[in-house]
């Protein structure tokens, strides 16, 4: 599966999402969900027969799915999953009943405050109580998350932020999967992390 800002792959019309079979003759598979013309996809993950996509878009297959969507892995049909982050999504990590999303947003499911990172239900997209409370530091900025790696021991997030809750964590953090509290690991890079 690939995502981006393209209109075709190997001559086959595909709007920002495609499935490829890798080999001597890279083959574009029939799977073809469609985001709108002006949007783009920045991240993908696959879990339990679904492909989760994040980016900066408003629709998938004509359905309102702002900035995050899941589509059936076999058919490309958009599901009812609707986390509704209010700005771009840069990272997705799906782990069973929980999907972690990261980006430039400050709200999910239309109303729940979550700055830069959120844990949402994999079946509905509704926000879970897990809240890392990332802070951008001084200025009118919002924290940004550029990548997420979820494990059983920690949820690792990197991007541009200065703190997680009451703990200083410059641009990279390990979060407790149950409480969202910052764990002791703190490499402290001096600038944003991709």
């Amino acid at each position: 599966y690939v995502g981006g800002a393209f209109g075709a792959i190997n001559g086959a019309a595909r709007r920002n999402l495609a499935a490829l079979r890798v080999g001597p003759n890279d083959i574009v598979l029939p799977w073809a969900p469609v985001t709108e013309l002006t949007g783009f996809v920045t991240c993908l993950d696959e879990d339990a027969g679904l492909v989760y996509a994040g980016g900066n878009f408003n629709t998938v297959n004509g359905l309102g799915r702002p900035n995050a969507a899941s589509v059936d892995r076999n058919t490309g049909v958009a599901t009812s999953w609707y986390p509704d982050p209010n700005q771009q999504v840069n990272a997705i990590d799906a782990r069973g009943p929980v999907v972690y999303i990261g980006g430039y947003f400050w709200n999910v499911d239309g109303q729940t405050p979550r700055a830069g990172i959120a844990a949402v239900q994999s079946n509905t997209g509704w926000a879970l109580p897990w809240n890392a409370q990332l802070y951008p530091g001084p200025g009118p900025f919002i924290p940004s998350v550029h990548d997420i790696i979820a494990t059983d021991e920690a949820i690792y997030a990197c991007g541009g932020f200065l703190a997680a809750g009451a703990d200083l964590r410059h641009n990279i953090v390990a979060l407790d999967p149950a409480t969202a509290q910052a764990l002791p690991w703190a490499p402290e890079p001096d600038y944003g992390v991709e």
Side-chain angles (χ1 to χ4, degrees), residues 9-22:
I9 291 187
N10 214 14
R14 296 291 184 272
R15 179 63 60 205
N16 304 327
L17 289 166
L20 305 175
R21 185 173 68 218
V22 179

Side-chain angles (χ1 to χ4, degrees), residues 1 5 7 20 31-32 37 41 58 70 87 89-90 93 101-102 120 127 129 138-139 145-146 160 194:
Y1 299 98
L20 305 175
W31 188 84
L37 184 63
V41 174
N58 291 314
S70 70
Q87 292 291 328
V89 171
N90 299 323
D93 196 319
I101 61 174
V120 299
V145 169
H146 302 183
E194 298 292 323

Side-chain angles (χ1 to χ4, degrees), residues 1-59:
Y1 299 98
V2 295
F6 50 82
I9 291 187
N10 214 14
R14 296 291 184 272
R15 179 63 60 205
N16 304 327
L17 289 166
L20 305 175
R21 185 173 68 218
V22 179
N25 300 315
D26 295 335
I27 296 175
V28 180
L29 298 175
W31 188 84
V34 177
T35 64
E36 78 274 2
L37 184 63
T38 58
F40 54 88
V41 174
T42 57
C43 56
L44 297 169
D45 198 15
E46 181 186 1
D47 189 55
L50 299 174
V51 175
Y52 293 89
N56 190 331
F57 51 83
N58 291 314
T59 64

Side-chain angles (χ1 to χ4, degrees), residues 65-114:
R65 295 292 183 270
N67 307 310
S70 70
V71 294
D72 184 278
R73 182 185 128 165
N74 296 314
T75 66
V77 172
T79 71
S80 60
W81 188 70
Y82 191 74
D84 194 18
N86 66 325
Q87 292 291 328
Q88 181 173 315
V89 171
N90 299 323
I92 291 184
D93 196 319
R95 293 185 57 81
V98 180
V99 178
Y100 298 93
I101 61 174
Y104 296 108
F105 54 83
W106 56 91
N107 281 317
V108 294
D109 67 29
Q111 62 188 4
T112 305
R114 294 290 186 271

